[in-house]
Amino acid sequence: MSAPQLLGYPRSDGRWGFRNHILLLPLHQALCNTAREIENSVFSAVAVSHDWSGEIDSDFERIAKVFAGIANNPNNFSTIFLTIGTETETKIIERSRVLGATPLHVLSLSDSGSMAHLLTSAIALASQLKEAANKESRVLAPVSAIVLGLECGGSDAYSGITANPALGLASDRLVELGATSILGETMEILGSEHLLAARALNPAVGQQIIDLVARYERSINYEGIDIRGAQPSRGNIEGGLSTLEEKSLGAAKKAGSAPFTGVLEYADHPTAPGLYFMDTPGHDIEQLTGFAAAGVNIAVFTTGRGTPTGSTVIPTIKVATNTQMGSVLADLIDLNAGTIADGSQSLEEVGSLIFDKIIEVANGRQTKAELGAHHEFNLSRLYGSTL
């Protein structure tokens, strides 16, 4: 199988980026508006918004890992931390420096003396960094540079027979060529975990998949929620799905048929090429945030309901599961897999189109989510649930 020509930005830690972002990362919710103002003032700078205000609780380790990971995503040329000047923020910045993949800059409100001065300084710094980033050129990259995130949102009755299996074919091809692919959404493999475990590289990895799903279900049961009885969601039902197992069997097809190399905790980095399963929430934005913190540099998001979700740092390709929705929401959809159900294209043909789109976007073509400035970000919290 011949490898496609891939162009990217080599990073100091051996990873590759397919974008060259200047990331504005506020470490307190009070600075999120400032970050957005900088984004609006500096072309192609991207800003994170969130609701964290510096509290240290049982979720702090998870939050710190996400901030450090996204600051060092390989799609970043540089990251500017915006802080109010607390010791808690310093801990996160130090953790980010340990990863060492991305040049980091820190601008503090306490040092600036006012929000106006902080804004002025940050715009000047972001502009300088963007000028430096624009001088960099893409170079030939191996296919192993790709770390693909597999996502679906707003599933319908077509998801498991059109977009998801077509994405699975593209994922299989990339893994065969030495890339990395990550499947998430633990809730959405309930009922199909034994099928994924059977594809594990070894029995230990298979048991990890089973254990991870059991852990998740215990945490939900602890809260008194019957997840198997509560799912699928109303949107899924309106789209034609009837049971959680039906939804899970369709969602799992995004991972194709390759063997699972390993299992990752939320926001953890894969250590070698291959196919992985990551323990993520089913919430689309929280999953993409975990992927970004784990170093995913491109994602494919299949949707039967037109979910308009993107990512702050990951170019996110939206694939429609049915032609009607894909046509109506053309400003959100990059590729229509509904043609499989229409009978105008085969599963293999659409799988090839998705593969080609991944390469095209990795080489610089903007996705509809990027053109629409869908820079969503959301911190995932456990709130101290007993697992």
Side-chain angles (χ1 to χ4, degrees):
M1 182 181 295
S2 60
Q5 179 171 292
L6 192 63
L7 300 171
Y9 301 100
R11 302 307 185 196
S12 61
D13 63 349
R15 295 184 297 167
W16 291 78
F18 298 124
R19 296 295 184 266
N20 225 16
H21 295 308
I22 308 302
L23 177 65
L24 287 310
L25 186 50
L27 293 183
H28 193 287
Q29 64 175 345
L31 299 174
C32 289
N33 187 59
T34 300
R36 290 192 296 271
E37 288 188 65
I38 301 162
E39 178 184 69
N40 292 333
S41 300
V42 181
F43 178 72
S44 75
V46 292
V48 163
S49 291
H50 57 82
D51 62 356
W52 189 63
S53 56
E55 63 274 9
I56 297 182
D57 55 20
S58 58
D59 286 329
F60 177 71
E61 171 62 23
R62 189 176 179 91
I63 289 169
K65 180 166 68 170
V66 167
F67 278 139
I70 199 168
N72 284 277
N73 184 281
N75 284 336
N76 298 329
F77 171 80
S78 189
T79 294
I80 301 174
F81 283 108
L82 303 176
T83 78
I84 61 174
T86 67
E87 186 176 335
T88 302
E89 293 168 320
T90 300
K91 290 179 181 178
I92 294 173
I93 294 166
E94 289 175 350
R95 180 171 183 153
S96 303
R97 294 195 191 283
V98 169
L99 293 178
T102 301
L104 306 177
H105 304 266
V106 181
L107 294 178
S108 169
L109 176 61
S110 59
D111 292 337
S112 299
S114 71
M115 294 288 273
H117 287 157
L118 177 64
L119 177 62
T120 301
S121 299
I123 290 174
L125 176 58
S127 299
Q128 292 171 8
L129 293 170
K130 195 62 200 174
E131 185 176 341
N134 289 339
K135 293 178 181 178
E136 287 198 343
S137 299
R138 293 173 178 266
V139 299
L140 282 173
V143 178
S144 59
I146 292 175
V147 183
L148 178 69
L150 306 171
E151 167 74 281
C152 66
S155 298
D156 67 356
Y158 291 98
S159 297
I161 59 175
T162 61
N164 287 356
L167 174 54
L169 292 177
S171 175
D172 282 346
R173 185 174 170 189
L174 285 168
V175 170
E176 188 175 345
L177 289 169
T180 299
S181 191
I182 304 177
L183 176 69
E185 296 178 289
T186 305
M187 184 181 73
E188 298 202 2
I189 67 165
L190 261 70
S192 65
E193 65 270 22
H194 61 293
L195 301 175
L196 301 186
R199 289 166 43 193
L201 206 58
N202 55 57
V205 172
Q207 190 60 50
Q208 283 182 305
I209 294 174
I210 298 295
D211 291 346
L212 188 150
V213 172
R215 182 181 73 179
Y216 171 77
E217 197 160 13
R218 284 197 305 274
S219 73
I220 293 296
N221 290 340
Y222 172 80
E223 299 291 343
I225 300 170
D226 176 14
I227 190 64
R228 293 183 186 259
Q231 284 284 339
S233 67
R234 176 174 293 184
N236 297 147
I237 293 170
E238 290 174 353
L241 293 171
S242 59
T243 66
L244 175 61
E245 288 78 9
E246 184 181 21
K247 179 180 178 181
S248 295
L249 288 168
K253 288 188 176 182
K254 299 191 301 293
S257 58
F260 279 90
T261 301
V263 172
L264 302 169
E265 294 292 344
Y266 185 74
D268 278 356
H269 291 213
T271 56
L275 175 65
Y276 290 82
F277 183 79
M278 180 186 287
D279 181 22
T280 77
H283 187 272
D284 301 325
I285 302 173
E286 290 182 18
Q287 180 183 350
L288 283 173
T289 298
F291 279 174
V296 167
N297 51 21
I298 192 164
V300 178
F301 189 132
T302 65
T303 178
R305 309 288 292 171
T307 308
T309 298
S311 166
T312 308
V313 298
I314 309 171
T316 303
I317 300 164
K318 306 301 278 293
V319 179
T321 66
N322 66 84
T323 298
Q324 181 180 9
M325 184 274 295
S327 300
V328 171
L329 299 177
D331 60 333
L332 299 177
I333 301 300
D334 296 283
L335 193 149
N336 174 32
T339 53
I340 298 169
D342 299 342
S344 59
Q345 289 181 305
S346 69
L347 181 64
E348 290 73 21
E349 286 174 324
V350 176
S352 292
L353 289 175
I354 294 175
F355 178 89
D356 292 343
K357 180 65 72 172
I358 292 169
I359 301 303
E360 185 180 79
V361 169
N363 284 337
R365 185 179 182 88
Q366 286 200 304
T367 65
K368 296 291 181 66
E370 289 177 292
L371 292 170
H374 286 286
H375 296 164
E376 283 76 31
F377 176 93
N378 199 27
L379 289 169
S380 173
R381 291 175 168 85
L382 298 176
Y383 295 110
S385 294
T386 300
L387 299 181

